[in-house]
Amino acid sequence: MSGEIADSPESWPVEKTVEHYRGSKVAMVSDWVEMPGADGPEIVQRDRFEHPGAVAALALDDDGRVLLLNQYRHVVGHRLWELPAGIRDEVGEPPVRTAQRELLEEAGFTAERWFALADYFSSPGFCTERIQVFLARGITEVAESDIDFERIHEEADMPTVWLPLEEAVEAAAQGRFRNSATVIGLLAASRAAADGFASLPKAE
């Protein structure tokens, strides 16, 4: 194989699709897909969980510390240390704008500069969720009285900590953090820090 090794879009023929469930943000669907078989093409059922995607904001202050939130996640029965993050639930909103909104609403901070840090599919075997992680620099705290957002449910109980980046990376390497956006974002930020983040593209 020659040339650059990289993921690429592709779509195999679908004979039929059945939607089993659709909620306000997600859906469960089955496709019958034409795939290679031992004796020629076969029609195979593949289930997929449709998800609008999500973003995360890795806020890094001037002292090299990253902001982490501790959030209860009922589905996995854990409190997880996470980057400020959220679902892309505003139609037409650019991903970086969603990240900016989540950083403000969840943590009470804004940032002067934003960079694309990581972009991945969280579980491509069955889910369409794509997560984009952005690096935020030039951090400013915003007074609670200036934030037009009410934190309720899980978001009403999210302790925060500012942790040195390399200390956070070590915690991820030791398996102390298990949120995918957090782990991938920390590793990507650690690598990008080698050239002072100069290689990261600006996020518009």
Side-chain angles (χ1 to χ4, degrees):
M1 183 177 292
S2 61
E4 183 182 43
I5 305 299
D7 297 339
S8 61
E10 185 168 326
S11 180
W12 289 5
V14 175
E15 182 181 81
K16 70 173 180 177
T17 297
V18 174
E19 183 175 279
H20 306 289
Y21 165 82
R22 180 164 294 276
S24 60
K25 298 176 183 177
V26 299
M28 194 68 203
V29 176
S30 292
D31 290 325
W32 277 260
V33 187
E34 183 180 303
M35 295 188 174
D39 299 314
E42 295 182 15
I43 302 300
V44 181
Q45 180 181 341
R46 289 291 180 265
D47 300 323
R48 58 185 166 90
F49 187 75
E50 291 188 346
H51 189 286
V55 298
L58 193 150
L60 192 67
D61 70 8
D62 292 341
D63 294 322
R65 302 177 305 168
V66 61
L67 175 65
L68 296 172
L69 312 174
N70 190 237
Q71 184 168 356
Y72 171 66
R73 293 297 189 180
H74 179 72
V75 173
V76 294
H78 277 71
R79 290 194 71 103
L80 302 178
W81 285 103
E82 304 181 359
L83 304 175
I87 293 177
R88 295 192 60 199
D89 53 3
E90 294 289 339
V91 177
E93 184 175 67
V96 68
R97 175 65 189 118
T98 308
Q100 292 166 350
R101 179 165 54 83
E102 293 294 341
L103 179 62
L104 176 62
E105 292 176 352
E106 289 195 343
F109 291 91
T110 60
E112 295 178 358
R113 304 179 302 282
W114 290 82
F115 304 89
L117 187 59
D119 186 346
Y120 66 98
F121 295 110
S122 61
S123 189
F126 85 100
C127 184
T128 64
E129 183 183 40
R130 173 186 176 186
I131 299 181
Q132 293 163 273
V133 185
F134 297 92
L135 173 68
R137 304 300 313 273
I139 307 300
T140 300
E141 187 170 8
V142 178
E144 286 292 323
S145 59
D146 293 332
I147 301 174
D148 185 21
F149 179 78
E150 182 183 4
R151 301 187 186 107
I152 59 174
H153 306 143
E154 297 96 336
E155 294 179 345
D157 180 25
M158 293 196 301
T160 63
V161 66
W162 285 94
L163 202 61
L165 176 59
E166 289 311 312
E167 186 177 329
V169 170
E170 182 63 22
Q174 293 174 357
R176 288 155 49 200
F177 299 156
R178 285 181 281 182
N179 173 273
S180 63
T182 302
V183 174
I184 290 172
L186 290 171
L187 295 177
S190 179
R191 183 181 184 280
D195 66 358
F197 307 104
S199 61
L200 293 179
K202 290 184 178 180
E204 304 294 341

